[in-house]
Amino acid sequence: AHSMQLESTIQPKSSIFTELSIKYMFQYADDRELVGIYRVNTMESYRHGLRIEGRHRFGKHWSGLNGIELAHMKLQGDGLRRYLPNNLSREIGLFTTQHVAWKNLLLDVGYRHDRVARLVLMDKQYKPSRGLAGGKLTPRDFALHQFSAELRYDLLNFAFFKAGLQQSERAPEVNELYAGNEHF
């Protein structure tokens, strides 16, 4: 696998907006399955990711981070016994985390909403299996939510009470949705 990442951060001279960052990532992977000396399956994946986030501070008690994340992945296969069809995945996520600190009390709250789309790109070489996943090659879309909250109260320099809640959803990966045929 090969990857490249570019990052840029700006720190404006503002009392509210403290930092703006942009991150771009590209990954290329070439995966091959061999049985003895015979290549039975090859998959090349191309993934692009873009993340833009901004940090803010309101007074001395409240700070946070807000942002957007975009991802695009294309998977292309080759071989007589491919277990995955060519496919395309697109993702967009909006997120926020907020931190409030007042005297001995700390509150952290976070939320993220994602939209994920998976699409099969059929070609004449791929033959779907009759299995459950391999036969249903329909496009799939998901709306996902993630939430976290944590409350902490510091009693002394060495003791504190802490309570937290986390709830998270994830979209199935491409191989969970579309894998069929033999996989070595």
Side-chain angles (χ1 to χ4, degrees):
H2 305 279
S3 63
M4 174 184 69
Q5 186 165 329
L6 303 171
E7 297 183 28
S8 179
T9 301
I10 300 168
Q11 295 178 330
K13 295 180 181 182
S14 167
S15 61
I16 296 176
F17 301 105
T18 60
E19 187 176 282
L20 175 65
S21 64
I22 299 173
K23 300 173 185 177
Y24 169 77
M25 180 266 311
F26 171 76
Q27 289 180 327
Y28 166 76
D30 182 3
D31 298 310
R32 298 165 186 247
E33 290 186 320
L34 303 173
V35 175
I37 61 169
Y38 300 101
R39 179 178 57 93
V40 295
N41 193 10
T42 299
M43 287 185 288
E44 291 182 336
S45 62
Y46 304 86
R47 182 175 177 84
H48 300 271
L50 179 67
R51 181 178 174 111
I52 302 170
E53 57 187 40
R55 296 185 182 274
H56 64 78
R57 175 169 290 286
F58 295 109
K60 64 180 184 177
H61 301 294
W62 177 17
S63 63
L65 170 76
N66 301 297
I68 183 170
E69 190 166 16
L70 307 164
H72 177 277
M73 187 185 77
K74 186 173 186 179
L75 185 87
Q76 294 176 287
D78 187 32
L80 297 173
R81 301 183 121 176
R82 284 173 35 204
Y83 71 95
L84 277 175
N86 295 339
N87 59 76
L88 180 66
S89 295
R90 293 184 182 126
E91 303 175 18
I92 183 169
L94 302 171
F95 58 91
T96 184
T97 60
Q98 304 299 313
H99 176 78
V100 177
W102 184 69
K103 295 187 180 182
N104 293 356
L105 193 62
L106 303 169
L107 174 65
D108 289 304
V109 178
Y111 176 75
R112 181 178 175 115
H113 176 72
D114 287 302
R115 298 290 296 191
V116 177
R118 310 254 192 251
L119 174 67
V120 170
L121 305 171
M122 286 302 294
D123 63 285
K124 292 180 182 179
Q125 187 186 28
Y126 181 74
K127 304 289 185 231
S129 73
R130 294 180 302 177
L132 182 61
K136 296 185 178 182
L137 302 177
T138 58
R140 302 290 302 270
D141 295 308
F142 303 93
L144 309 165
H145 304 278
Q146 298 173 25
F147 175 76
S148 65
E150 184 176 278
L151 183 63
R152 176 176 158 163
Y153 182 75
D154 292 331
L155 294 172
L156 303 166
N157 289 341
F158 60 89
F160 59 86
F161 285 115
K162 182 164 70 169
L165 170 70
Q166 291 186 351
Q167 185 274 331
S168 181
E169 300 172 329
R170 76 167 185 89
E173 294 296 329
V174 171
N175 61 336
E176 294 173 287
L177 293 172
Y178 303 126
N181 301 326
E182 297 172 324
H183 178 38
F184 301 96

